[in-house]
Amino acid sequence: MSFPDLESAAVDRWTMAPACRRYVRPAKFLPGQLERIRAAHFGTVAEVIRDFRGGYDALQGETLGFRARHVDLVDGVLYAARANRSLRPRTRPLPLYAVPREVATGAVYESWVGNRWFGNWLTEDCLTYRLAERHGFPVTTRLPSGGHVTRYAERLGIHPATVGRVHFDELVFFRDSSQNLDKQARAEELRLRLMANISAPEHPGVFLLRGSSGDCRLLANERVVAERLALERDFRVLDPSLATVDEIIFHCAGAKVIAGVEGSHLVHGLAVMPRGAMLFVIQPPDRAVAALKIITDRQDQGYAFVVGKGKQDHFIVDWMEVERTLDLALS
């Protein structure tokens, strides 16, 4: 049995930021690239191609706040008045429901996708945190995980209370999925917070290695592409998994181009690159994604891509196509 979203149980709702229209920029790509896309993730092939083609105005909805009473949090799911909302993947398919004994109030800012993918946490949940701190004490079910997340949270001043099974007498939550002007302003604030006390001179670009990390998108000639970009384009090559957050920010914040295989690791660069910079993405043909393109549109940045040949677990990209696409994007 399915239940409506938690919004239906709200006793109060208000507009925090108005809707607006935003121009969806055409991506930079060579002829024949779109025809290679065989499958898409997070949407259909037609929707991904539409976002890559761009050239139209898209309505960006309001940012809304909600208040609900008598909300139970059990195994990462919020329940209230026959409505619910999942905040993270459940630890078991059908959690055993038991009324929590602990009682609290708070403002929740996290999302299921933010708890699943690092890129969504940094580009979405960390922005919603700024709303939560205005309307109550921010709470999260996300356990401290160390590594990059911990350091990013420190630099961003994110200090929520971690909750497990709890009953909220009152809970504030948000609809913050639209890329409106207020979201853009919060993203710029995030960039400035991350760059505080870090000097980042402008330079040609950074290639962020993905390797075999995360959901499988294995570019077989990734090292070859990275080395040629370093040799012929004066790019820096960085493996985020082996670098500190401060090192990543130092190398990425001044880059004219952030390049790499599609994935959350590119968000390290996307979060700090300035307006006018370019995100260059290598897409597997059977797992094309336009999610990062939507972020570059929000942040007035460019987006270029090439589509490789093969399958997501083993594909290659042609160096000449990389070179020609970069020339097109930077012309």
Side-chain angles (χ1 to χ4, degrees), residues 28-30 229 232-233 235 257 278 280 304 306 319-331:
K28 301 289 187 178
F29 56 93
L30 299 175
L229 285 171
E232 301 179 25
R233 299 277 179 158
F235 272 44
V257 178
M278 176 72 62
F280 182 87
V306 293
W319 165 252
M320 293 301 295
E321 291 185 353
V322 171
E323 191 170 43
R324 288 168 55 206
T325 305
L326 275 174
D327 289 339
L328 174 67
L330 297 174
S331 63

PDB file of all heavy atoms in Angstrom, residues 28-30 229 232-233 235 257 278 280 304 306 319-331:
ATOM      1  N   LYS A  28      27.539  22.079 -25.193  1.00  0.00           N
ATOM      2  CA  LYS A  28      28.480  22.048 -26.307  1.00  0.00           C
ATOM      3  C   LYS A  28      28.817  20.590 -26.612  1.00  0.00           C
ATOM      4  O   LYS A  28      29.287  19.856 -25.736  1.00  0.00           O
ATOM      5  CB  LYS A  28      29.742  22.822 -25.943  1.00  0.00           C
ATOM      6  CG  LYS A  28      29.511  24.286 -25.581  1.00  0.00           C
ATOM      7  CD  LYS A  28      29.140  25.112 -26.798  1.00  0.00           C
ATOM      8  CE  LYS A  28      29.081  26.593 -26.450  1.00  0.00           C
ATOM      9  NZ  LYS A  28      28.766  27.425 -27.624  1.00  0.00           N
ATOM     10  N   PHE A  29      28.577  20.162 -27.842  1.00  0.00           N
ATOM     11  CA  PHE A  29      28.879  18.784 -28.225  1.00  0.00           C
ATOM     12  C   PHE A  29      29.013  18.694 -29.739  1.00  0.00           C
ATOM     13  O   PHE A  29      28.503  19.541 -30.480  1.00  0.00           O
ATOM     14  CB  PHE A  29      27.800  17.823 -27.725  1.00  0.00           C
ATOM     15  CG  PHE A  29      26.394  18.149 -28.167  1.00  0.00           C
ATOM     16  CD1 PHE A  29      25.856  17.585 -29.325  1.00  0.00           C
ATOM     17  CD2 PHE A  29      25.605  19.029 -27.440  1.00  0.00           C
ATOM     18  CE1 PHE A  29      24.573  17.885 -29.737  1.00  0.00           C
ATOM     19  CE2 PHE A  29      24.310  19.335 -27.838  1.00  0.00           C
ATOM     20  CZ  PHE A  29      23.783  18.768 -28.996  1.00  0.00           C
ATOM     21  N   LEU A  30      29.689  17.670 -30.189  1.00  0.00           N
ATOM     22  CA  LEU A  30      29.928  17.460 -31.613  1.00  0.00           C
ATOM     23  C   LEU A  30      28.735  16.776 -32.277  1.00  0.00           C
ATOM     24  O   LEU A  30      27.960  16.087 -31.602  1.00  0.00           O
ATOM     25  CB  LEU A  30      31.180  16.601 -31.812  1.00  0.00           C
ATOM     26  CG  LEU A  30      32.497  17.161 -31.283  1.00  0.00           C
ATOM     27  CD1 LEU A  30      33.595  16.119 -31.451  1.00  0.00           C
ATOM     28  CD2 LEU A  30      32.867  18.461 -31.977  1.00  0.00           C
ATOM     29  N   LEU A 229      45.493  15.463 -21.543  1.00  0.00           N
ATOM     30  CA  LEU A 229      45.028  16.787 -21.119  1.00  0.00           C
ATOM     31  C   LEU A 229      46.110  17.515 -20.331  1.00  0.00           C
ATOM     32  O   LEU A 229      46.283  18.729 -20.471  1.00  0.00           O
ATOM     33  CB  LEU A 229      43.750  16.650 -20.288  1.00  0.00           C
ATOM     34  CG  LEU A 229      42.462  16.335 -21.053  1.00  0.00           C
ATOM     35  CD1 LEU A 229      41.331  16.010 -20.091  1.00  0.00           C
ATOM     36  CD2 LEU A 229      42.071  17.498 -21.959  1.00  0.00           C
ATOM     37  N   GLU A 232      49.031  18.275 -23.112  1.00  0.00           N
ATOM     38  CA  GLU A 232      48.712  19.145 -24.244  1.00  0.00           C
ATOM     39  C   GLU A 232      47.856  20.350 -23.872  1.00  0.00           C
ATOM     40  O   GLU A 232      47.812  21.324 -24.628  1.00  0.00           O
ATOM     41  CB  GLU A 232      48.008  18.326 -25.331  1.00  0.00           C
ATOM     42  CG  GLU A 232      48.850  17.166 -25.843  1.00  0.00           C
ATOM     43  CD  GLU A 232      48.158  16.332 -26.904  1.00  0.00           C
ATOM     44  OE1 GLU A 232      47.261  16.880 -27.587  1.00  0.00           O
ATOM     45  OE2 GLU A 232      48.497  15.140 -27.062  1.00  0.00           O
ATOM     46  N   ARG A 233      47.162  20.290 -22.728  1.00  0.00           N
ATOM     47  CA  ARG A 233      46.269  21.383 -22.333  1.00  0.00           C
ATOM     48  C   ARG A 233      46.644  21.995 -20.993  1.00  0.00           C
ATOM     49  O   ARG A 233      45.944  22.894 -20.506  1.00  0.00           O
ATOM     50  CB  ARG A 233      44.818  20.864 -22.259  1.00  0.00           C
ATOM     51  CG  ARG A 233      44.266  20.337 -23.573  1.00  0.00           C
ATOM     52  CD  ARG A 233      43.741  21.454 -24.439  1.00  0.00           C
ATOM     53  NE  ARG A 233      43.233  20.964 -25.705  1.00  0.00           N
ATOM     54  CZ  ARG A 233      42.356  21.627 -26.455  1.00  0.00           C
ATOM     55  NH1 ARG A 233      41.878  22.787 -26.053  1.00  0.00           N
ATOM     56  NH2 ARG A 233      41.963  21.124 -27.609  1.00  0.00           N
ATOM     57  N   PHE A 235      46.352  20.741 -18.075  1.00  0.00           N
ATOM     58  CA  PHE A 235      45.400  20.416 -17.019  1.00  0.00           C
ATOM     59  C   PHE A 235      46.133  19.809 -15.828  1.00  0.00           C
ATOM     60  O   PHE A 235      47.184  19.163 -15.977  1.00  0.00           O
ATOM     61  CB  PHE A 235      44.364  19.395 -17.519  1.00  0.00           C
ATOM     62  CG  PHE A 235      43.155  19.993 -18.177  1.00  0.00           C
ATOM     63  CD1 PHE A 235      43.266  21.027 -19.097  1.00  0.00           C
ATOM     64  CD2 PHE A 235      41.884  19.519 -17.877  1.00  0.00           C
ATOM     65  CE1 PHE A 235      42.149  21.564 -19.719  1.00  0.00           C
ATOM     66  CE2 PHE A 235      40.756  20.050 -18.484  1.00  0.00           C
ATOM     67  CZ  PHE A 235      40.890  21.077 -19.407  1.00  0.00           C
ATOM     68  N   VAL A 257      38.048  24.819 -16.603  1.00  0.00           N
ATOM     69  CA  VAL A 257      37.319  23.607 -16.989  1.00  0.00           C
ATOM     70  C   VAL A 257      37.504  22.552 -15.909  1.00  0.00           C
ATOM     71  O   VAL A 257      38.621  22.328 -15.440  1.00  0.00           O
ATOM     72  CB  VAL A 257      37.820  23.047 -18.339  1.00  0.00           C
ATOM     73  CG1 VAL A 257      37.064  21.760 -18.690  1.00  0.00           C
ATOM     74  CG2 VAL A 257      37.680  24.072 -19.451  1.00  0.00           C
ATOM     75  N   MET A 278      33.529  25.943 -17.166  1.00  0.00           N
ATOM     76  CA  MET A 278      32.939  24.892 -17.988  1.00  0.00           C
ATOM     77  C   MET A 278      33.083  23.537 -17.307  1.00  0.00           C
ATOM     78  O   MET A 278      34.157  23.202 -16.797  1.00  0.00           O
ATOM     79  CB  MET A 278      33.645  24.855 -19.348  1.00  0.00           C
ATOM     80  CG  MET A 278      33.205  23.742 -20.286  1.00  0.00           C
ATOM     81  SD  MET A 278      31.554  23.996 -20.989  1.00  0.00           S
ATOM     82  CE  MET A 278      31.818  25.527 -21.918  1.00  0.00           C
ATOM     83  N   PHE A 280      33.108  19.681 -18.240  1.00  0.00           N
ATOM     84  CA  PHE A 280      33.289  18.810 -19.405  1.00  0.00           C
ATOM     85  C   PHE A 280      33.106  17.364 -18.956  1.00  0.00           C
ATOM     86  O   PHE A 280      33.891  16.856 -18.153  1.00  0.00           O
ATOM     87  CB  PHE A 280      34.671  19.013 -20.011  1.00  0.00           C
ATOM     88  CG  PHE A 280      34.916  18.178 -21.236  1.00  0.00           C
ATOM     89  CD1 PHE A 280      34.545  18.645 -22.486  1.00  0.00           C
ATOM     90  CD2 PHE A 280      35.505  16.929 -21.132  1.00  0.00           C
ATOM     91  CE1 PHE A 280      34.760  17.869 -23.620  1.00  0.00           C
ATOM     92  CE2 PHE A 280      35.722  16.159 -22.250  1.00  0.00           C
ATOM     93  CZ  PHE A 280      35.353  16.623 -23.503  1.00  0.00           C
ATOM     94  N   ALA A 304      29.766  20.877 -21.421  1.00  0.00           N
ATOM     95  CA  ALA A 304      30.135  20.213 -22.667  1.00  0.00           C
ATOM     96  C   ALA A 304      30.255  18.717 -22.395  1.00  0.00           C
ATOM     97  O   ALA A 304      30.511  18.300 -21.265  1.00  0.00           O
ATOM     98  CB  ALA A 304      31.454  20.764 -23.203  1.00  0.00           C
ATOM     99  N   VAL A 306      31.092  14.540 -24.252  1.00  0.00           N
ATOM    100  CA  VAL A 306      31.273  13.558 -25.313  1.00  0.00           C
ATOM    101  C   VAL A 306      30.661  12.249 -24.819  1.00  0.00           C
ATOM    102  O   VAL A 306      30.611  11.991 -23.612  1.00  0.00           O
ATOM    103  CB  VAL A 306      32.751  13.335 -25.688  1.00  0.00           C
ATOM    104  CG1 VAL A 306      33.336  14.571 -26.334  1.00  0.00           C
ATOM    105  CG2 VAL A 306      33.571  12.926 -24.467  1.00  0.00           C
ATOM    106  N   TRP A 319      40.142  10.370 -28.236  1.00  0.00           N
ATOM    107  CA  TRP A 319      40.862  11.580 -27.840  1.00  0.00           C
ATOM    108  C   TRP A 319      40.579  12.752 -28.785  1.00  0.00           C
ATOM    109  O   TRP A 319      40.434  13.892 -28.330  1.00  0.00           O
ATOM    110  CB  TRP A 319      42.375  11.330 -27.775  1.00  0.00           C
ATOM    111  CG  TRP A 319      43.144  12.617 -27.720  1.00  0.00           C
ATOM    112  CD1 TRP A 319      43.908  13.178 -28.690  1.00  0.00           C
ATOM    113  CD2 TRP A 319      43.156  13.549 -26.625  1.00  0.00           C
ATOM    114  NE1 TRP A 319      44.409  14.396 -28.285  1.00  0.00           N
ATOM    115  CE2 TRP A 319      43.965  14.643 -27.025  1.00  0.00           C
ATOM    116  CE3 TRP A 319      42.565  13.565 -25.372  1.00  0.00           C
ATOM    117  CZ2 TRP A 319      44.202  15.729 -26.193  1.00  0.00           C
ATOM    118  CZ3 TRP A 319      42.800  14.664 -24.535  1.00  0.00           C
ATOM    119  CH2 TRP A 319      43.607  15.727 -24.947  1.00  0.00           C
ATOM    120  N   MET A 320      40.495  12.480 -30.081  1.00  0.00           N
ATOM    121  CA  MET A 320      40.237  13.565 -31.019  1.00  0.00           C
ATOM    122  C   MET A 320      38.891  14.221 -30.749  1.00  0.00           C
ATOM    123  O   MET A 320      38.746  15.439 -30.898  1.00  0.00           O
ATOM    124  CB  MET A 320      40.296  13.041 -32.460  1.00  0.00           C
ATOM    125  CG  MET A 320      41.676  12.602 -32.906  1.00  0.00           C
ATOM    126  SD  MET A 320      42.886  13.962 -32.811  1.00  0.00           S
ATOM    127  CE  MET A 320      42.207  15.083 -34.039  1.00  0.00           C
ATOM    128  N   GLU A 321      37.909  13.439 -30.328  1.00  0.00           N
ATOM    129  CA  GLU A 321      36.604  14.012 -30.003  1.00  0.00           C
ATOM    130  C   GLU A 321      36.691  14.848 -28.730  1.00  0.00           C
ATOM    131  O   GLU A 321      36.030  15.892 -28.617  1.00  0.00           O
ATOM    132  CB  GLU A 321      35.560  12.910 -29.864  1.00  0.00           C
ATOM    133  CG  GLU A 321      35.223  12.221 -31.174  1.00  0.00           C
ATOM    134  CD  GLU A 321      34.095  11.225 -31.040  1.00  0.00           C
ATOM    135  OE1 GLU A 321      33.656  10.958 -29.899  1.00  0.00           O
ATOM    136  OE2 GLU A 321      33.635  10.704 -32.088  1.00  0.00           O
ATOM    137  N   VAL A 322      37.478  14.390 -27.760  1.00  0.00           N
ATOM    138  CA  VAL A 322      37.695  15.187 -26.549  1.00  0.00           C
ATOM    139  C   VAL A 322      38.313  16.527 -26.922  1.00  0.00           C
ATOM    140  O   VAL A 322      37.860  17.599 -26.495  1.00  0.00           O
ATOM    141  CB  VAL A 322      38.599  14.427 -25.559  1.00  0.00           C
ATOM    142  CG1 VAL A 322      39.021  15.336 -24.398  1.00  0.00           C
ATOM    143  CG2 VAL A 322      37.883  13.190 -25.020  1.00  0.00           C
ATOM    144  N   GLU A 323      39.347  16.487 -27.735  1.00  0.00           N
ATOM    145  CA  GLU A 323      40.069  17.702 -28.121  1.00  0.00           C
ATOM    146  C   GLU A 323      39.175  18.654 -28.909  1.00  0.00           C
ATOM    147  O   GLU A 323      39.134  19.866 -28.636  1.00  0.00           O
ATOM    148  CB  GLU A 323      41.299  17.303 -28.942  1.00  0.00           C
ATOM    149  CG  GLU A 323      42.266  18.437 -29.189  1.00  0.00           C
ATOM    150  CD  GLU A 323      43.557  17.935 -29.793  1.00  0.00           C
ATOM    151  OE1 GLU A 323      43.496  17.085 -30.708  1.00  0.00           O
ATOM    152  OE2 GLU A 323      44.628  18.408 -29.358  1.00  0.00           O
ATOM    153  N   ARG A 324      38.448  18.132 -29.872  1.00  0.00           N
ATOM    154  CA  ARG A 324      37.576  18.979 -30.699  1.00  0.00           C
ATOM    155  C   ARG A 324      36.432  19.571 -29.873  1.00  0.00           C
ATOM    156  O   ARG A 324      36.033  20.732 -30.087  1.00  0.00           O
ATOM    157  CB  ARG A 324      37.030  18.170 -31.872  1.00  0.00           C
ATOM    158  CG  ARG A 324      38.063  17.838 -32.944  1.00  0.00           C
ATOM    159  CD  ARG A 324      37.521  16.801 -33.918  1.00  0.00           C
ATOM    160  NE  ARG A 324      36.249  17.242 -34.507  1.00  0.00           N
ATOM    161  CZ  ARG A 324      35.335  16.403 -34.972  1.00  0.00           C
ATOM    162  NH1 ARG A 324      35.513  15.098 -34.883  1.00  0.00           N
ATOM    163  NH2 ARG A 324      34.219  16.874 -35.503  1.00  0.00           N
ATOM    164  N   THR A 325      35.894  18.799 -28.928  1.00  0.00           N
ATOM    165  CA  THR A 325      34.812  19.313 -28.093  1.00  0.00           C
ATOM    166  C   THR A 325      35.305  20.415 -27.175  1.00  0.00           C
ATOM    167  O   THR A 325      34.612  21.430 -26.979  1.00  0.00           O
ATOM    168  CB  THR A 325      34.180  18.172 -27.270  1.00  0.00           C
ATOM    169  OG1 THR A 325      33.752  17.126 -28.139  1.00  0.00           O
ATOM    170  CG2 THR A 325      32.982  18.684 -26.466  1.00  0.00           C
ATOM    171  N   LEU A 326      36.495  20.252 -26.632  1.00  0.00           N
ATOM    172  CA  LEU A 326      37.069  21.315 -25.805  1.00  0.00           C
ATOM    173  C   LEU A 326      37.286  22.586 -26.630  1.00  0.00           C
ATOM    174  O   LEU A 326      36.998  23.690 -26.160  1.00  0.00           O
ATOM    175  CB  LEU A 326      38.393  20.851 -25.187  1.00  0.00           C
ATOM    176  CG  LEU A 326      38.292  20.062 -23.892  1.00  0.00           C
ATOM    177  CD1 LEU A 326      39.673  19.539 -23.486  1.00  0.00           C
ATOM    178  CD2 LEU A 326      37.707  20.929 -22.775  1.00  0.00           C
ATOM    179  N   ASP A 327      37.802  22.435 -27.838  1.00  0.00           N
ATOM    180  CA  ASP A 327      37.980  23.609 -28.707  1.00  0.00           C
ATOM    181  C   ASP A 327      36.652  24.301 -28.969  1.00  0.00           C
ATOM    182  O   ASP A 327      36.547  25.534 -28.928  1.00  0.00           O
ATOM    183  CB  ASP A 327      38.618  23.191 -30.028  1.00  0.00           C
ATOM    184  CG  ASP A 327      40.085  22.804 -29.883  1.00  0.00           C
ATOM    185  OD1 ASP A 327      40.699  23.224 -28.884  1.00  0.00           O
ATOM    186  OD2 ASP A 327      40.589  22.078 -30.755  1.00  0.00           O
ATOM    187  N   LEU A 328      35.607  23.511 -29.218  1.00  0.00           N
ATOM    188  CA  LEU A 328      34.271  24.066 -29.455  1.00  0.00           C
ATOM    189  C   LEU A 328      33.753  24.770 -28.225  1.00  0.00           C
ATOM    190  O   LEU A 328      33.192  25.892 -28.302  1.00  0.00           O
ATOM    191  CB  LEU A 328      33.323  22.928 -29.865  1.00  0.00           C
ATOM    192  CG  LEU A 328      31.832  23.291 -30.015  1.00  0.00           C
ATOM    193  CD1 LEU A 328      31.642  24.234 -31.196  1.00  0.00           C
ATOM    194  CD2 LEU A 328      31.003  22.032 -30.193  1.00  0.00           C
ATOM    195  N   ALA A 329      33.933  24.143 -27.057  1.00  0.00           N
ATOM    196  CA  ALA A 329      33.381  24.697 -25.820  1.00  0.00           C
ATOM    197  C   ALA A 329      34.076  25.993 -25.409  1.00  0.00           C
ATOM    198  O   ALA A 329      33.441  26.889 -24.840  1.00  0.00           O
ATOM    199  CB  ALA A 329      33.502  23.669 -24.700  1.00  0.00           C
ATOM    200  N   LEU A 330      35.353  26.095 -25.702  1.00  0.00           N
ATOM    201  CA  LEU A 330      36.134  27.247 -25.244  1.00  0.00           C
ATOM    202  C   LEU A 330      36.253  28.345 -26.295  1.00  0.00           C
ATOM    203  O   LEU A 330      36.832  29.391 -26.022  1.00  0.00           O
ATOM    204  CB  LEU A 330      37.531  26.788 -24.814  1.00  0.00           C
ATOM    205  CG  LEU A 330      37.559  25.812 -23.633  1.00  0.00           C
ATOM    206  CD1 LEU A 330      38.980  25.311 -23.392  1.00  0.00           C
ATOM    207  CD2 LEU A 330      36.993  26.469 -22.383  1.00  0.00           C
ATOM    208  N   SER A 331      35.708  28.095 -27.495  1.00  0.00           N
ATOM    209  CA  SER A 331      35.827  29.097 -28.554  1.00  0.00           C
ATOM    210  C   SER A 331      34.930  30.299 -28.273  1.00  0.00           C
ATOM    211  O   SER A 331      33.900  30.177 -27.614  1.00  0.00           O
ATOM    212  CB  SER A 331      35.448  28.477 -29.889  1.00  0.00           C
ATOM    213  OG  SER A 331      34.095  28.063 -29.890  1.00  0.00           O
TER     214      SER A 331
END
